Amino acid sequence: MRMIFFAAFILFLSCASWAFEREVTYDGAAQWNEFRHFVLEQQKEDERAGLGYMISGAVAAIGGTIAYHQSEEVFSRTIFAITSNVGLAAIGLGATYYWTGNEVDSFFYAIDGSSLSLAEKNEVLQRYLSKERQEKENRRWIRVVTHALIAVANIYSASQEQSSEVRSVFYFLGGANALLAVSYSF
């Protein structure tokens, strides 16, 4: 049972890396003034999210470290050490959101501060949004293929494993990644 719990925890951590990649998507029309409003609101949200990640990360890092030193069991200490590390990563992620925003900001400031007319800004925005939609679709399919490959590798490993406990972990990881691949395909 511990192996399955540990496998679930590792699966959560591997999926968390996809979750930390927050995509900012503007689905409105290629109208600069609407886009400008969206970006400025998104910057406020980035600051709120960043602060939230830094606070919760600090709590996880401190709590994990305290629990690590209080625990005597190896398995528990491992989980607490991982929790502490995830907390530290969350602090870094929060700081990134808070102080640097997202990938749209650079484009926005380059165009917003330019001498382009509103019609020219709208044209550049249209081209940018078209390219972003294409790249978003590519990232989605990369996730599908990545999780499908992980699923196949784990199911194959399970079929070759002699230990029933380890085999269960591989099947669990294979099934979970297969579900993730299917979920990203929509």
Side-chain angles (χ1 to χ4, degrees):
M1 186 60 166
R2 282 186 174 183
M3 289 292 282
I4 291 177
F5 176 72
F6 187 69
F9 192 74
I10 295 300
L11 178 67
F12 166 75
L13 290 177
S14 68
C15 293
S17 67
W18 292 112
F20 286 153
E21 279 186 34
R22 193 172 56 136
E23 287 188 16
V24 176
T25 305
Y26 173 72
D27 293 325
Q31 299 295 319
W32 186 257
N33 291 331
E34 290 177 29
F35 181 72
R36 185 176 199 285
H37 176 73
F38 169 80
V39 170
L40 295 176
E41 287 300 313
Q42 188 60 52
Q43 287 173 347
K44 291 177 189 173
E45 178 58 32
D46 286 341
E47 288 179 2
R48 280 191 297 272
L51 193 56
Y53 273 114
M54 287 187 285
I55 291 169
S56 62
V59 169
I62 292 168
T65 300
I66 291 170
Y68 173 86
H69 289 291
Q70 303 253 334
S71 179
E72 294 179 13
E73 186 184 39
V74 172
F75 181 74
S76 296
R77 289 172 66 97
T78 302
I79 296 299
F80 292 135
I82 292 170
T83 301
S84 181
N85 282 288
V86 169
L88 292 171
I91 292 170
L93 179 68
T96 301
Y97 285 167
Y98 190 85
W99 281 291
T100 66
N102 59 66
E103 68 278 357
V104 175
D105 290 348
S106 296
F107 168 77
F108 169 73
Y109 283 113
I111 301 301
D112 197 51
S114 73
S115 61
L116 296 172
S117 70
L118 183 58
E120 291 169 325
K121 287 179 182 179
N122 288 339
E123 181 183 348
V124 171
L125 177 60
Q126 175 61 43
R127 291 173 187 243
Y128 172 78
L129 293 175
S130 176
K131 180 66 175 167
E132 281 298 303
R133 286 184 191 108
Q134 180 185 10
E135 287 181 6
K136 181 180 177 184
E137 182 69 7
N138 291 345
R139 285 189 298 270
R140 183 175 71 86
W141 282 109
I142 289 169
R143 288 181 180 142
V144 169
V145 170
T146 299
H147 283 290
L149 288 172
I150 294 170
V152 168
N154 280 295
I155 291 169
Y156 174 77
S157 294
S159 72
Q160 303 299 307
E161 180 58 48
Q162 300 301 316
S163 165
S164 64
E165 193 172 281
V166 174
R167 187 172 43 247
S168 297
V169 170
F170 281 131
Y171 277 131
F172 172 80
L173 291 172
N177 276 283
L179 288 173
L180 285 168
V182 168
S183 73
Y184 280 124
S185 68
F186 296 107

